[in-house]
Amino acid sequence: MTEAADPRSPGTGDAPTGQHHPAACDGALTRAFGFLGKRWNGVILATLQHGPLGYAELRRAVEGISDSVLSERLSELSGAGLTVREVEPGPPVMVRYRLTPDGTALMPILGELAGWASRHLPETPAAPQRRARN
């Protein structure tokens, strides 16, 4: 006689309907917050929800981000299928970034998270500006 696999065991697929599978939930949340919790990713996505932006427009809209970090984050967001880089033929040639349908689907969730944060998390004072060294 063979034993049936325990549906709560990791690696056995989805939990039966109506059952909570904590390992799958925790894994999904870990992946989501690992990606969206990375500094600037959520801010870039939220900025693009209002429509496509060129690189310079995006750089101005996301205050405090460096060019190298913005480029890196845009590549990550594109790799995750949340944004797309579009080249519009010129002259002048224009590069614009926009949300994909998957990125757009994330906007209500980010809005809910922002609303929750404004209601439940205290605001922290702005970090002091660093003084330039000569």
Side-chain angles (χ1 to χ4, degrees):
M1 180 157 68
T2 61
E3 292 184 29
D6 182 350
R8 294 166 296 180
S9 299
T12 60
D14 295 334
T17 305
Q19 285 189 340
H20 176 70
H21 196 308
C25 180
D26 292 346
L29 283 175
T30 298
R31 287 191 315 277
F33 280 108
F35 185 77
L36 294 172
K38 199 171 208 179
R39 189 164 189 203
W40 305 115
N41 279 353
V43 175
I44 292 167
L45 290 169
T47 302
L48 289 173
Q49 75 178 322
H50 303 293
L53 292 173
Y55 184 89
E57 295 170 304
L58 195 50
R59 173 79 164 68
R60 283 190 297 274
V62 181
E63 292 184 31
I65 193 168
S66 69
D67 286 330
S68 61
V69 172
L70 178 57
S71 292
E72 181 180 311
R73 295 301 185 264
L74 287 169
S75 292
E76 290 172 358
L77 292 167
S78 178
L82 301 175
T83 64
V84 67
R85 179 181 185 267
E86 297 177 325
V87 179
E88 298 174 7
V93 173
M94 290 192 59
V95 175
R96 299 180 72 74
Y97 298 88
R98 68 167 176 80
L99 294 177
T100 63
D102 286 348
T104 301
L106 187 55
M107 292 304 98
I109 297 162
L110 288 182
E112 287 292 320
L113 186 59
W116 176 87
S118 69
R119 290 186 307 275
H120 299 285
L121 295 178
E123 289 189 34
T124 56
Q129 296 287 333
R130 289 188 181 176
R131 293 211 254 161
R133 295 185 183 186
N134 294 337

